[in-house]
Amino acid sequence: MLDERTERVLWAVIQSYIENPDPVGSRYVTKKYAFSYSPATIRNIMADLEDMGYLKQPHTSAGRVPTDKGYRYFVEHIISRDIGYDERLVEELERRIKNMVEDMDGVLNEATKTLSTLSHFLGLAISPGPEGSTLRRIELVPYKDDRIAVLILTDEGVIKHKIIKNEFSLTANDLSSIAKYLNREFTGYTIKEIRNQLVKELAEDKNLCDTLIERALKLCHESLDEYGANVFITGLSSILDLPDFTDIEKIKELSKAIEDKHKMIKLLDRIVQTEGVQVVIGSENPIKEMSAMSIIASTYKDKDRPAGIVGVIGPKRMDYKAVITLVDTAARYLSKIFEEGGGK
Amino acid sequence: MLDERTERVLWAVIQSYIENPDPVGSRYVTKKYAFSYSPATIRNIMADLEDMGYLKQPHTSAGRVPTDKGYRYFVEHIISRDIGYDERLVEELERRIKNMVEDMDGVLNEATKTLSTLSHFLGLAISPGPEGSTLRRIELVPYKDDRIAVLILTDEGVIKHKIIKNEFSLTANDLSSIAKYLNREFTGYTIKEIRNQLVKELAEDKNLCDTLIERALKLCHESLDEYGANVFITGLSSILDLPDFTDIEKIKELSKAIEDKHKMIKLLDRIVQTEGVQVVIGSENPIKEMSAMSIIASTYKDKDRPAGIVGVIGPKRMDYKAVITLVDTAARYLSKIFEEGGGK
DNA sequence: TATTAGCACTCTATGGAGAGGAGTGCTAAA
DNA sequence: TTTAGCACTCCTCTCCATAGAGTGCTAATA
């Protein structure tokens, strides 16, 4: 643990570096943060901090810059003490989503935009995977020719529609019976359970003739196929205005990383394993292309079940306290919204 | 009009510049393109081309670079002669969308990805506005509490679902009657017609008591609300690899432009007024932030009606022939696909 | 013992000078 | 009409010197 004075110096360096991405010198620290010690003393302390790995010098005669470990120390303190509540975020969100009813994707999209606007970084949200949602109702509607429109409604407001081929030439009546059967059989189960069940039953019945039930199961199986989570990332242009992104290579890496949505989901699932705001600083990130960035993310709940993820991606040099507060507020707000049942 | 020799020189300069973004000198042109004239002669011709505004010099002692007018001259010749057919595009698209059924947005998304991959620029697609689609069927399904799930199916495969509040506490029976009424009344009309009709009827009936019909109309009106076109833009990271984007400011401008989807729709609607591939070169673009870019776009049809737009955005310095061919092929292919009725 | 003043040292950033080079325009000859 | 020759322009790169910021160390101080 650091003694209080050392900690204050670390804090001052980080604070200053966040405001302005120039290496911080000892003289500057004493003046700006009104230390009652001379620059020489501060220099000694900063040398200590460098030995311990909290700061480093870009080159011999430059000031100091925080390391990932330095940020980490700083962030631990914030998380254990200072998470507040961001009024503006809630107001802005209220305003934006007031006309949305049960449109979770729409709400999440607005949430990323708001997070991006308020943080000036990338706003990020992942919709709940369907696995945990509970089926409420499934509708089969004849479309045209040999097509069927399937509408899937879940308790959590996750909805999906899909058009599939009607390979068995089912009539409207057949469809209605099948829908009744499926609703009776599967309502109240989670998508995951249903999918498992389907695989099992289809395997067992493999050798039976084409009963209506088998067709129903196949239809259902096809409908639940490719029923994946959505990723929303907003704000690339605002992040480019930061002085941190003068290097084209960094921009390329970042834009590649966020274009690969699949990778993004995997990354965030890995990060957000436990409850509460999670902070990943620079090289703590398993994706090495993002080692210049930090991720602040949290899960939001949907009917008391951890559902999707919401967060902010920005440069390591960020106002962690503000962003953590922002993300925490967003996660809580979304949880509240979805608990009440959709938009408003 | 330019005489043949002059035209060949213009062609050579553009060709060379497209391969490599360095100003093109007279000596280089004679050697690389095996002209039977000396550099001095070529110099004279290039000076003429500069006087006419087809070429310009970045500075006195540099080679020449094509102007927008130069590209334009070049492009007119391509469009009137050389639009081919891009085999790879079609193969790639076939492969990607073979499992998509009636999912127009999915198809368009894959189309932009493919265009981006093959052109190395930004792939772009806009889904049809709903205005022209013909309603095929509308379904009302009770969801939970006071919510109703609405499923709208159109002839063109544009589908939408929405959850709306049930402000009138309608029962499942009411809903079924309402759906029947709406289907009887509106099937076969375009969304635009229906919307107009609704506005009219609702205005007329304003003073009547809440009949079921009025409720139906209101419900319908609410469902058609906010039923807009989607914009798909893919490939920012691949375009950043080009030597044209060493300037951060350009990247910022571009990323801002493509984030503003609303503006993008307006822009493209304006560009693509007539049939066939349209080419907008640099400053011909009304959005001045995009004056370093060219846009190649075309409409695709959906059941013989011009529907949405598909295209490529890249630097002015692009292989117009290849990209025009690519976009034209994509537009034709999409038209074919949608005519047949969805994915495959 | 902890702090501080002083100072030599290191490294970067900046800007100017000069060389090198690419390409032009012009002139005069073929 | 074409071309060779040449002077000229302007960019780019490198080198170098200088200024400035900030450090680490040493010795003095409270």
Side-chain angles (χ1 to χ4, degrees):
Chain A
M1 220 42 349
L2 304 177
D3 66 66
E4 198 213 318
R5 196 179 61 172
T6 313
E7 196 173 281
R8 268 189 71 209
V9 173
L10 175 59
W11 185 85
V13 172
I14 292 178
Q15 203 60 30
S16 163
Y17 193 69
I18 286 172
E19 279 171 28
N20 189 332
D22 292 331
V24 185
S26 53
R27 206 182 113 83
Y28 185 79
V29 168
T30 48
K31 280 187 74 172
K32 177 85 183 282
Y33 295 90
F35 275 83
S36 54
Y37 299 98
S38 75
T41 309
I42 301 297
R43 268 206 293 285
N44 289 330
I45 298 173
M46 283 165 83
D48 291 345
L49 281 167
E50 181 161 10
D51 289 340
M52 291 185 283
Y54 293 107
L55 298 178
K56 70 166 188 285
Q57 287 180 290
H59 53 83
T60 328
S61 69
R64 257 87 176 191
V65 158
T67 60
D68 291 0
K69 188 178 173 189
Y71 285 123
R72 171 55 63 196
Y73 187 90
F74 185 69
V75 164
E76 294 304 333
H77 277 237
I78 292 170
I79 290 188
S80 57
R81 293 186 202 149
D82 277 337
I83 302 188
Y85 174 77
D86 194 300
E87 194 88 31
R88 288 174 315 158
L89 177 83
V90 172
E91 278 168 18
E92 181 68 17
L93 271 178
E94 290 278 357
R95 200 176 61 70
R96 286 174 180 244
I97 68 175
K98 67 168 177 287
N99 288 321
M100 294 185 178
V101 180
E102 293 285 353
D103 176 7
M104 191 184 237
D105 281 0
V107 170
L108 291 177
N109 196 26
E110 290 304 326
T112 61
K113 282 192 203 162
T114 311
L115 280 173
S116 165
T117 309
L118 294 181
S119 68
H120 307 293
F121 303 139
L122 290 172
L124 160 96
I126 298 184
S127 64
E131 301 295 336
S133 324
T134 312
L135 182 71
R136 183 171 196 95
R137 196 183 169 95
I138 184 164
E139 281 291 313
L140 304 175
V141 181
Y143 185 38
K144 59 184 169 185
D145 308 337
D146 58 342
R147 305 291 154 92
I148 305 168
V150 183
L151 181 67
I152 295 167
L153 303 172
T154 67
D155 273 349
E156 282 75 13
V158 186
I159 298 128
K160 186 176 152 105
H161 65 237
K162 190 171 178 183
I163 300 243
I164 59 178
K165 272 193 190 172
N166 176 355
E167 289 174 3
F168 316 112
S169 323
L170 298 165
T171 66
N173 271 343
D174 289 341
L175 286 182
S176 158
S177 317
I178 288 176
K180 244 183 216 149
Y181 169 75
L182 291 175
N183 278 310
R184 195 173 56 234
E185 206 67 7
F186 293 126
T187 301
Y189 291 93
T190 65
I191 301 297
K192 190 173 181 178
E193 289 163 348
I194 296 172
R195 196 175 287 168
N196 291 340
Q197 184 70 9
L198 281 171
V199 171
K200 220 174 84 192
E201 294 198 11
L202 283 172
E204 281 172 4
D205 288 0
K206 200 178 255 167
N207 300 320
L208 295 180
C209 56
D210 267 4
T211 63
L212 204 59
I213 289 177
E214 192 189 341
R215 290 177 186 179
L217 296 179
K218 278 192 178 155
L219 213 60
C220 187
H221 192 246
E222 198 176 341
S223 311
L224 292 179
D225 200 30
E226 290 177 26
Y227 181 359
N230 271 334
V231 185
F232 304 89
I233 302 182
T234 313
L236 187 62
S237 67
S238 57
I239 212 173
L240 295 182
D241 284 329
L242 298 175
D244 307 69
F245 289 91
T246 33
D247 184 9
I248 304 251
E249 285 310 312
K250 278 194 192 149
I251 298 180
K252 275 192 213 167
E253 282 178 359
L254 182 63
S255 75
K256 275 194 184 108
I258 66 181
E259 266 187 11
D260 190 345
K261 310 222 158 176
H262 189 67
K263 207 169 177 181
M264 217 64 211
I265 292 182
K266 263 171 62 184
L267 169 64
L268 282 153
D269 270 341
R270 195 161 146 191
I271 292 173
V272 190
Q273 298 281 12
T274 56
E275 268 198 44
V277 180
Q278 304 293 313
V279 181
V280 174
I281 298 164
S283 50
E284 295 170 5
N285 192 323
I287 299 183
K288 60 190 167 312
E289 286 83 14
M290 290 185 64
S291 60
M293 312 293 289
S294 285
I295 304 177
I296 320 290
S298 181
T299 50
Y300 56 85
K301 287 189 201 161
D302 186 9
K303 309 275 178 301
D304 286 333
R305 194 186 307 114
I309 294 165
V310 65
V312 165
I313 300 178
K316 288 195 289 192
R317 183 185 76 82
M318 68 161 78
D319 182 346
Y320 286 93
K321 185 174 167 188
V323 176
I324 288 172
T325 298
L326 209 55
V327 170
D328 189 62
T329 306
R332 286 175 200 280
Y333 180 75
L334 289 176
S335 299
K336 202 186 86 197
I337 288 292
F338 294 139
E339 187 182 356
E340 285 169 6
K344 184 151 181 186
Chain B
M1 226 34 358
L2 304 177
D3 66 66
E4 199 212 318
R5 195 179 62 171
T6 314
E7 196 172 278
R8 269 189 69 209
V9 173
L10 175 59
W11 185 84
V13 172
I14 292 178
Q15 204 60 32
S16 162
Y17 192 69
I18 285 171
E19 279 170 27
N20 188 331
D22 292 331
V24 185
S26 54
R27 205 180 114 83
Y28 185 80
V29 167
T30 49
K31 279 188 75 172
K32 175 85 183 282
Y33 295 90
F35 276 84
S36 54
Y37 299 98
S38 75
T41 309
I42 301 299
R43 268 208 292 286
N44 289 329
I45 299 174
M46 284 164 83
D48 291 345
L49 281 167
E50 181 161 10
D51 288 343
M52 292 185 283
Y54 294 107
L55 297 177
K56 69 165 189 284
Q57 288 180 290
H59 54 83
T60 328
S61 70
R64 258 87 176 190
V65 157
T67 61
D68 291 0
K69 188 179 173 188
Y71 286 124
R72 170 55 62 196
Y73 186 90
F74 184 70
V75 163
E76 293 305 331
H77 277 237
I78 293 169
I79 289 188
S80 57
R81 293 187 202 147
D82 277 337
I83 302 189
Y85 175 77
D86 195 299
E87 194 87 31
R88 287 175 314 159
L89 178 82
V90 173
E91 278 169 19
E92 180 69 15
L93 271 178
E94 291 277 357
R95 200 175 62 70
R96 286 173 180 245
I97 69 175
K98 68 167 177 289
N99 288 322
M100 293 185 179
V101 180
E102 293 283 354
D103 176 8
M104 191 183 237
D105 280 0
V107 170
L108 291 177
N109 197 24
E110 291 303 325
T112 61
K113 282 191 204 164
T114 311
L115 281 172
S116 165
T117 309
L118 295 181
S119 68
H120 306 292
F121 303 140
L122 291 172
L124 161 94
I126 298 183
S127 65
E131 301 295 336
S133 322
T134 312
L135 182 71
R136 185 172 194 94
R137 194 182 172 97
I138 185 165
E139 281 290 314
L140 305 174
V141 181
Y143 184 39
K144 59 183 171 186
D145 306 338
D146 56 342
R147 307 290 154 92
I148 304 168
V150 183
L151 181 67
I152 295 167
L153 304 172
T154 67
D155 273 348
E156 281 76 13
V158 186
I159 299 129
K160 186 175 154 103
H161 65 236
K162 189 171 178 181
I163 300 240
I164 58 179
K165 272 194 191 171
N166 176 355
E167 290 174 0
F168 315 113
S169 325
L170 298 166
T171 65
N173 271 343
D174 290 340
L175 286 181
S176 156
S177 317
I178 290 176
K180 244 181 217 149
Y181 169 77
L182 291 175
N183 279 310
R184 195 172 58 232
E185 205 68 9
F186 293 125
T187 301
Y189 291 94
T190 64
I191 301 297
K192 190 174 181 177
E193 289 163 347
I194 295 172
R195 199 175 287 170
N196 290 340
Q197 185 69 12
L198 280 171
V199 171
K200 220 174 82 190
E201 294 198 11
L202 283 172
E204 282 172 3
D205 288 1
K206 199 180 256 169
N207 300 319
L208 295 180
C209 57
D210 268 3
T211 64
L212 206 56
I213 290 177
E214 191 191 340
R215 290 177 187 178
L217 297 178
K218 278 192 178 154
L219 215 57
C220 187
H221 191 248
E222 197 177 341
S223 311
L224 292 179
D225 199 30
E226 290 176 29
Y227 182 179
N230 271 335
V231 185
F232 304 88
I233 301 182
T234 312
L236 187 63
S237 66
S238 56
I239 211 173
L240 294 183
D241 285 329
L242 298 174
D244 307 67
F245 290 91
T246 32
D247 184 9
I248 304 250
E249 284 309 313
K250 278 193 191 151
I251 298 180
K252 274 192 214 167
E253 281 177 0
L254 182 62
S255 76
K256 274 194 184 108
I258 65 181
E259 265 188 10
D260 191 344
K261 310 222 157 176
H262 189 66
K263 207 170 179 182
M264 218 64 210
I265 292 183
K266 264 172 62 184
L267 169 64
L268 282 152
D269 271 342
R270 193 161 148 193
I271 291 173
V272 190
Q273 297 280 10
T274 56
E275 268 196 42
V277 180
Q278 305 294 315
V279 181
V280 173
I281 297 164
S283 51
E284 296 170 5
N285 192 323
I287 298 184
K288 58 189 169 312
E289 286 82 15
M290 290 185 65
S291 59
M293 312 293 288
S294 284
I295 303 177
I296 320 291
S298 182
T299 50
Y300 56 85
K301 286 188 200 161
D302 185 11
K303 310 272 179 301
D304 286 332
R305 193 185 307 115
I309 294 165
V310 66
V312 165
I313 299 178
K316 288 196 290 192
R317 184 185 75 81
M318 68 160 78
D319 182 346
Y320 285 93
K321 186 174 165 187
V323 176
I324 288 172
T325 298
L326 208 55
V327 169
D328 190 61
T329 306
R332 287 176 199 281
Y333 180 76
L334 289 177
S335 299
K336 204 186 86 199
I337 288 291
F338 295 139
E339 189 182 352
E340 285 170 5
K344 184 158 182 181

